[in-house]
Amino acid sequence: MTIRSQAKVGTGKPARYAKQLSSHLGRRCAVSEEPDCIRITLPAGSGVGSCLLVNESDVLALRAEAENAEVLDRVQDVIGRHLERFGQRDELKVNWMND
């Protein structure tokens, strides 16, 4: 069973933040470019989890999914924490909502 959550982060630079995040996390995670988005897959531990980064107009949409709640929490934490740190000047905030 796959569980999902999403967040929409308002920014005038969604592509820049998606690239920065995928480049940084690409050292430890699998990163793949898909049509109109980037997928970051976190290393398997207690399950597989990933996040799609989708550039929208003035929004970076984050779509996380995982095999269980523990892994989903980890995906949300890693993606959200890094994105907020990179976007500190622009005061980016990531608020996840479960699907």
Side-chain angles (χ1 to χ4, degrees):
M1 181 175 154
T2 300
I3 56 174
R4 296 177 175 84
S5 65
Q6 62 180 330
K8 293 197 179 242
V9 181
T11 175
K13 305 176 255 188
R16 175 181 167 252
Y17 283 116
K19 181 171 175 50
Q20 185 177 11
L21 187 60
S22 62
S23 177
H24 178 75
L25 293 177
R27 295 179 216 153
R28 295 187 194 167
C29 304
V31 175
S32 58
E33 295 207 21
E34 299 181 9
D36 302 320
C37 63
I38 298 171
R39 179 180 300 277
I40 298 174
T41 303
L42 276 68
S46 57
V48 176
S50 68
C51 186
L52 278 178
L53 312 176
V54 183
N55 300 324
E56 298 178 357
S57 179
D58 295 328
V59 170
L60 178 58
L62 309 173
R63 298 183 185 136
E65 60 181 37
E67 295 177 347
N68 59 55
E70 179 184 342
V71 176
L72 184 63
D73 287 344
R74 183 166 179 269
V75 171
Q76 291 173 335
D77 176 60
V78 170
I79 300 294
R81 183 169 29 95
H82 282 88
L83 184 57
E84 286 180 353
R85 188 177 77 213
F86 296 146
Q88 193 170 11
R89 271 193 207 137
D90 293 334
E91 299 179 357
L92 298 188
K93 294 292 177 211
V94 179
N95 296 308
W96 295 99
M97 295 177 11
N98 292 334
D99 285 350

